[in-house]
Amino acid sequence: MATVDTRHPACSERAAEGTALYVHLPFCAAKCSYCDFYSVPAEGQDLSGVLDDVLLEARRRAPRNPRTVFLGGGTPSLYSREELRRLLDGLDAITGFRTSAVEVTAECNPESLDGAKAETFLELGVDRLSVGVQSLRPNVLEFFGRVHTADQGLRALRAARSAGVQRLSADLIYSSPGLSSEQWREDLQAVLEVGLDHFSAYSLTFEEGTPLFRWRAQGKVREEPEEQQLEQFHATREIGAEHGFEAYEISNFAQAGERCSHNLAYWANAPYCGIGPSAVSKLGQTRFGSPKSIGKWRAAISADEPAAEWDETPDELARLGETWWLGLRTADGVDPRQALKTAGAGQAGEAAAASTALVLCEQGLLEPSGDGRYRLTVAGLPLADGVARKFLTLG
């Protein structure tokens, strides 16, 4: 990634009307052992001041009439009802999202979500809540560094439903050390019985820079055997289907009509605008990101300078490879013609992508369909990351 060229228009100009908007609120009650997103414990931090600067950056860069809005972090629900009102009223005054957005999501954690908070989100224009339940096992929650209990996780989901939240999602993690497949099945069943519209289920990953990664290097923890990870992967899809969920992306499951529109924009390699510390934007064919530091980000905002710390404009083949890489994670797969258009690629890219797709089809990991799209096969699904990465080296 190159040092940012602050003269690049994408880094400082307002995003085009209708662009998906992401707002990063970096505060959590505690830092989880597996998390590699930029977040910091909230204690002693200037939460209110960060909101001021989020709105200031939004005035400069946020799109008008965004199609989707996503409040992520961090833990947006950690903010008080009054602070959420200031944030969302301010964002609406700047962007008009309450009349334009087809979906407005806020990430929440169980310890900071109750019926009153859920009602506040709804009043302020948020129509979709994503709750970080992660596990119903006390030992797993402790291992993850979560500060809520299993009971709080289920209570938060029920409270949101009782408050009138119609679009409700839960995040869960499987293949954690010591979690049996039977326990995972029981936990997933218990969460789905609350009555969700969507859920995300991720296999535990050991990301560099996290405590979990360090513990593995020190021999304090080991990954679960691949056979058990695959068993829990297939169990997730099986149980989801029994409850009427479509596996529309490798780790995401939705009832009919309840796919996450904001995340679909990412998987389509479409433009998006990120506001807040560490937030990434993709405008045109250029990507850029803010510093993973509240202090550095706030200093740039206060100085009326672009907050971007890095930017990159991948070449044609890289853009096309990324479009395939993202799209193959979804059940819809990739339309080669649309991928070329999205990436702004020409004949060289078309030939390189077709060659890679042919090899993967011969290996039984990819298959063409009658509508001209390519999708992962049943054999390719558990290997989705590896299969999709083949496209990152086009040419």
Side-chain angles (χ1 to χ4, degrees), residues 155-176:
R155 280 209 314 265
L157 295 174
R158 295 185 184 115
R161 264 296 189 241
S162 296
V165 176
Q166 297 300 310
R167 305 169 88 174
L168 184 61
S169 180
D171 279 3
L172 298 159
I173 298 174
Y174 60 89
S175 71
S176 57

Side-chain angles (χ1 to χ4, degrees), residues 269 282-287 312-314 319 341-344:
N269 211 8
K282 176 181 179 287
L283 302 176
Q285 301 295 358
T286 297
R287 275 196 302 263
E312 61 180 5
T313 304
R319 296 196 303 266
K341 182 178 178 181
T342 297

Side-chain angles (χ1 to χ4, degrees), residues 27-30 40-47 78:
F27 303 112
C28 284
V40 297
E43 186 174 358
Q45 298 285 342
D46 184 8
L47 275 71
L78 195 63

Side-chain angles (χ1 to χ4, degrees), residues 57-283:
E57 186 179 14
R59 289 187 192 100
R60 298 170 184 164
R61 296 188 45 246
R64 293 185 175 89
N65 301 316
R67 184 174 183 273
T68 61
V69 179
F70 198 107
L71 306 182
T75 310
S77 60
L78 195 63
Y79 276 94
S80 70
R81 297 167 69 188
E82 293 72 23
E83 288 168 326
L84 289 171
R85 185 173 302 279
R86 180 159 66 88
L87 171 65
L88 288 159
D89 283 350
L91 281 177
D92 185 55
I94 294 164
T95 68
F97 78 84
R98 286 176 180 149
T99 55
S100 68
V102 300
E103 173 189 281
V104 182
T105 301
E107 290 187 328
C108 307
N109 275 337
E111 70 275 6
S112 55
L113 179 65
D114 56 18
K117 186 71 66 72
E119 288 176 359
T120 298
F121 275 122
L122 290 174
E123 291 167 6
L124 297 176
V126 174
D127 65 356
R128 184 176 183 274
L129 297 185
S130 179
V131 184
V133 175
Q134 311 308 5
S135 178
L136 296 183
R137 301 286 158 175
N139 62 315
V140 175
L141 291 170
E142 182 179 3
F143 173 70
F144 286 164
R146 306 293 288 180
V147 298
H148 65 86
T149 65
D151 185 56
Q152 281 179 308
L154 293 174
R155 280 209 314 265
L157 295 174
R158 295 185 184 115
R161 264 296 189 241
S162 296
V165 176
Q166 297 300 310
R167 305 169 88 174
L168 184 61
S169 180
D171 279 3
L172 298 159
I173 298 174
Y174 60 89
S175 71
S176 57
L179 180 72
S180 71
S181 294
E182 184 56 35
Q183 288 174 326
W184 168 242
R185 285 176 170 272
E186 291 174 1
D187 291 354
L188 181 57
Q189 290 278 11
V191 171
L192 296 187
E193 285 170 5
V194 173
L196 305 178
D197 308 287
H198 185 284
F199 74 94
S200 302
Y202 304 98
S203 181
L204 182 65
T205 55
F206 293 70
E207 301 292 345
E208 189 171 358
T210 64
L212 196 60
F213 185 88
R214 186 171 65 252
W215 296 342
R216 184 181 63 177
Q218 295 169 344
K220 295 179 179 179
V221 65
R222 289 185 295 182
E223 293 182 64
E224 290 299 285
E226 183 178 343
E227 296 78 11
Q228 183 147 313
Q229 294 184 42
L230 284 173
E231 185 177 345
Q232 293 179 18
F233 171 85
H234 289 300
T236 304
R237 301 175 78 84
E238 173 194 325
I239 294 169
E242 290 172 357
H243 287 262
F245 287 87
E246 170 201 19
Y248 75 101
E249 194 267 347
I250 293 298
S251 302
N252 286 270
F253 304 77
Q255 297 283 354
E258 294 299 335
R259 295 181 176 190
C260 178
S261 296
H262 186 86
N263 286 343
L264 284 170
Y266 294 148
W267 297 319
N269 211 8
Y272 52 89
C273 175
I275 299 293
S278 82
V280 175
S281 300
K282 176 181 179 287
L283 302 176

